[in-house]
Amino acid sequence: MTEALIGFGAMLVLIFLQVPIAYAMALIGLLGTAWLRSWPAAYSMAGGVVHESGFQYLLSVVPLFVLMGNLVTQAKLSRQLYAAAYAFLGHRKGGLAMSTIVACGGFGAVCGSSLATAATMCKVAYPEMRKLGYSEGLATGSIAAGGTLGILIPPSVVMVVYAVLTEQSIGKMFAAGILPGLVAIGFYMLAVRWTTWRQPDSGPPGVRMNWRQRLTALKEVWGVIVLFGIVMGGIYGGIFTATEAAGIGACGAFLFAWVRGRLSWAIFSEVLVESTRTTGMLFMVLIGAMIFANFINFTSMPAGLQDAVRQFNIHPTMVIVAICAIYVALGCVLESMSMVLLTVPVFFPLVRTLGFDPIWFGIIVVVVTEISFITPPVGLNVMVLRSLQPEVSIRTMFAGVFPFVVADLFRLAVLIAFPSITLLLPRYLG
Amino acid sequence: MNRTVSIAEVVLKIAAGTFLVALSVLTLLDVLGRYVFSMPVRGAVELTEALMVGIIFTGIVLATQARQHVTVDLLTMALGPRGRRVQQGFSLLVAASVSALLGAVTWSQAMSAREFGDKTTMLGIPMAPLMFFMSAFLFLNGFIHAAQLLGLFARRSESE
């Protein structure tokens, strides 16, 4: 146990010295294994990890879903999504913020990244909200929070990595994300209501649209519906596997962006390079985290945790609550992918021995990492918004996002208390 | 020198993009082949894996070149210019060394794959060249980090 804690400590020191997370994990993993076993053992372990990460058929979904997300972003769907949500919700108090949340959910259905969702929606939603007199806090808060739906609503890159790490079905994992995603949208709506109730000036109502206008706006988002339908319908209709769905989705997104005339040669090549770059960055983190996880598995930590839970007779739900607390704390330092890769190998065996469903735990992990996207000091979505809207102070942003963090905590409690919300769809799908 | 670097960069980007397009098209052809022509692509899984090697390792190098690896600048923001340079130098040194180390471990894996003549089961693609590719790109990645480190020193002497 001590060795593992020293390892974690050393890794955090390196990370705080701004060594890229991937390299910090790899270095400590290598040195740690050499310390516990031998240098040749560490050497061949690292070689095995690089080899395995390279030849991973299942992980081919990662570049393909990244590519699909980037193409969809280029297709400039965000504006239509926002307009459609606005047509139904805009006339309410805080209606534009609600529209932002719903549009983010829609965007998350074709994009597996929270940062991309937040960044894309920010460009469309922020100016609209400000034009109508929305407060900076509510405007940025709703975008940052809405962005987190990107990794919960399938397809989701983090879910794929969790599923591959724990040998679960990617299809079931995706199915499990749908209802919690809808619950999240519901809770976020309540957070908007709360904000406008507390500060009535923060979110004035917009113009009410008639049903004809609403249907016209809805027609504009056919592309998102078709793309989501093909990817998810293909998986659950048994037509293709989740891995293949990613390839089909990427080709579909290409066609879609091309038909809409958004894809010049220059933009397309930039999208390809950007997607490969993101993939390289994610896989470097994957390689580093796997080397580190191997070291942790050589220590007595995983078994030690199980013994401690048994010895002190800790209630299983308390263990889950403690794990969630650790995630929120880690989220202050790490981004979602490193967090999942680092912690799942440690916590997963424990959670399994306590009898929890692995798919349910996966969703809980995704939800808590989402919370870390919007909590201070380094909530990544907030940082992205800050770079896009430098005139809004970080303090205002975190204050604006606070009601959404509270909504997230309530949602987490609901998902922990009622696992059936998560597990209903995977029972019938996947 | 600069010209060589920019040509190399363009070649790398073209290669990366081609691998990614090939992967998408391969999946599409495989699914279409299975349903429309009842003839899936032979060895699609192995081809996917080979393309993944290409995408991942060119991607790692491209990410390094664009300084896109995830870092945390929570504490270092507080450092002065001198402290910051030391910290950046340290971080790049660690990155270059770890990358070279990973290149070396993969090289020995590749050597043993060549010695045993490892091949994929369906198409008989030899593993060794793919693993040498992985190793070479990890070395290249380390080299880019090292070049960034040298650049840091060069800027320092210029400013003095």
Side-chain angles (χ1 to χ4, degrees):
Chain A
M1 194 79 156
T2 325
E3 310 93 328
L5 291 177
I6 294 174
F8 269 109
M11 184 193 65
L12 285 178
V13 169
L14 287 179
I15 287 175
F16 276 122
L17 286 170
Q18 222 181 330
V19 172
I21 295 175
Y23 298 107
M25 292 191 292
L27 181 64
I28 301 300
L30 265 165
L31 294 178
T33 311
W35 174 34
L36 289 181
R37 295 287 152 100
S38 64
W39 185 242
Y43 203 76
S44 73
M45 177 273 283
V49 167
V50 178
H51 179 188
E52 271 172 38
S53 329
F55 292 92
Q56 269 279 6
Y57 173 70
L58 278 179
L59 285 176
S60 65
V61 281
V62 173
L64 293 172
F65 274 138
V66 169
L67 175 64
M68 173 175 159
N70 284 345
L71 285 167
V72 167
T73 308
Q74 284 304 332
K76 305 270 186 262
L77 269 167
S78 42
R79 194 167 294 279
Q80 276 83 2
L81 271 171
Y82 189 64
Y86 177 86
F88 285 86
L89 295 164
H91 61 283
R92 292 168 184 276
K93 237 183 186 178
L96 256 67
M98 292 178 180
S99 312
T100 307
I101 304 283
V102 173
C104 282
F107 197 76
V110 280
C111 175
S113 147
S114 286
L115 298 182
T117 307
T120 312
M121 290 313 300
C122 178
K123 286 175 204 150
V124 183
Y126 186 78
E128 294 287 332
M129 283 195 267
R130 292 292 289 152
K131 207 159 61 188
L132 206 70
Y134 271 54
S135 70
E136 287 175 337
L138 181 57
T140 48
S142 58
I143 299 169
T148 64
L149 296 171
I151 57 165
L152 182 59
I153 297 182
S156 153
V157 174
V158 174
M159 278 190 200
V160 168
V161 170
Y162 176 87
V164 171
L165 272 183
T166 58
E167 295 174 348
Q168 300 301 314
S169 138
I170 297 176
K172 278 194 189 303
M173 209 51 220
F174 280 0
I178 296 174
L179 289 182
L182 294 177
V183 173
I185 293 178
F187 272 103
Y188 282 162
M189 299 282 205
L190 290 177
V192 174
R193 283 308 277 240
W194 165 264
T195 311
T196 49
W197 177 66
R198 295 277 304 199
Q199 305 157 310
D201 299 338
S202 61
V207 188
R208 183 189 275 274
M209 307 258 178
N210 60 34
W211 274 96
R212 202 195 169 92
Q213 288 166 309
R214 286 179 183 179
L215 290 177
T216 318
L218 205 57
K219 258 192 242 156
E220 292 288 316
V221 293
W222 64 269
V224 175
I225 298 166
V226 168
L227 208 53
F228 185 74
I230 290 177
V231 172
M232 292 297 142
I235 297 177
Y236 301 123
I239 302 172
F240 36 70
T241 62
T243 323
E244 292 166 342
I248 305 287
C251 291
F254 168 78
L255 267 182
F256 186 59
W258 185 57
V259 167
R260 286 169 65 94
R262 304 284 184 185
L263 221 51
S264 67
W265 182 246
I267 292 180
F268 181 53
S269 37
E270 187 47 44
V271 163
L272 287 176
V273 171
E274 187 50 48
S275 307
T276 335
R277 233 184 245 144
T278 308
T279 307
M281 185 262 283
L282 289 174
F283 271 82
M284 198 64 223
V285 171
L286 180 86
I287 292 171
M290 298 300 258
I291 294 177
F292 189 81
N294 268 314
F295 153 62
I296 293 295
N297 284 334
F298 283 134
T299 69
S300 56
M301 192 179 197
L305 279 178
Q306 290 174 34
D307 288 346
V309 168
R310 219 170 293 136
Q311 202 180 341
F312 295 108
N313 207 7
I314 305 170
H315 193 275
T317 311
M318 282 319 290
V319 176
I320 295 290
V321 172
I323 289 177
C324 290
I326 293 175
Y327 272 104
V328 173
L330 274 180
C332 296
V333 193
L334 299 174
E335 44 68 66
S336 58
M337 190 64 83
S338 340
M339 222 151 86
V340 168
L341 285 165
L342 261 183
T343 53
V344 166
V346 179
F347 292 141
F348 189 71
L350 173 66
V351 171
R352 287 294 283 171
T353 12
L354 292 174
F356 289 109
D357 188 286
I359 296 277
W360 170 81
F361 181 63
I363 295 298
I364 296 296
V365 169
V366 172
V367 171
V368 264
T369 42
E370 259 185 76
I371 297 179
S372 74
F373 274 114
I374 51 173
T375 43
V378 287
L380 277 177
N381 275 5
V382 178
M383 294 301 151
V384 167
L385 288 193
R386 171 93 176 116
S387 63
L388 291 171
Q389 304 295 342
E391 74 282 0
V392 186
S393 79
I394 208 99
R395 221 191 152 84
T396 313
M397 284 190 182
F398 278 122
V401 93
F402 183 72
F404 297 94
V405 176
V406 175
D408 270 345
L409 293 176
F410 274 114
R411 166 165 53 118
L412 185 61
V414 167
L415 293 179
I416 292 176
F418 305 102
S420 51
I421 299 176
T422 309
L423 296 173
L424 183 71
L425 288 183
R427 204 171 297 153
Y428 301 105
L429 300 169
Chain B
M1 178 69 184
N2 277 344
R3 200 178 141 78
T4 324
V5 170
S6 39
I7 291 174
E9 203 184 315
V10 171
V11 171
L12 199 64
K13 284 181 177 173
I14 293 174
T18 314
F19 292 142
L20 193 52
V21 171
L23 182 64
S24 319
V25 174
L26 172 67
T27 319
L28 184 70
L29 286 182
D30 190 32
V31 173
L32 282 182
R34 196 167 62 216
Y35 284 100
V36 185
F37 307 105
S38 318
M39 200 179 70
V41 178
R42 196 167 153 261
V45 172
E46 292 171 9
L47 288 174
T48 301
E49 287 179 349
L51 285 170
M52 278 298 282
V53 169
I55 294 170
I56 295 167
F57 291 87
T58 47
I60 289 177
V61 171
L62 286 172
T64 299
Q65 186 253 350
R67 298 177 190 254
Q68 227 177 24
H69 290 294
V70 192
T71 57
V72 174
D73 59 359
L74 208 59
L75 290 189
T76 47
M77 274 190 308
L79 292 174
R82 199 191 164 88
R84 235 183 123 58
R85 211 164 27 226
V86 171
Q87 166 269 312
Q88 280 174 352
F90 172 74
S91 147
L92 285 169
L93 187 68
V94 171
S97 326
V98 172
S99 204
L101 200 60
L102 291 180
V105 297
T106 315
W107 188 268
S108 35
Q109 291 257 330
M111 293 294 273
S112 83
R114 189 172 69 176
E115 196 182 326
F116 293 105
D118 293 353
K119 282 181 181 152
T120 62
T121 37
M122 191 93 171
L123 299 175
I125 305 171
M127 301 286 272
L130 289 170
M131 298 181 64
F132 279 121
F133 176 89
M134 289 157 83
S135 167
F137 271 72
L138 285 168
F139 276 121
L140 175 62
N141 191 51
F143 178 76
I144 295 176
H145 279 303
Q148 288 169 346
L149 181 64
L150 288 180
L152 190 75
F153 284 124
R155 272 204 304 281
R156 186 190 164 190
S157 51
E158 258 170 43
S159 62
E160 275 170 0

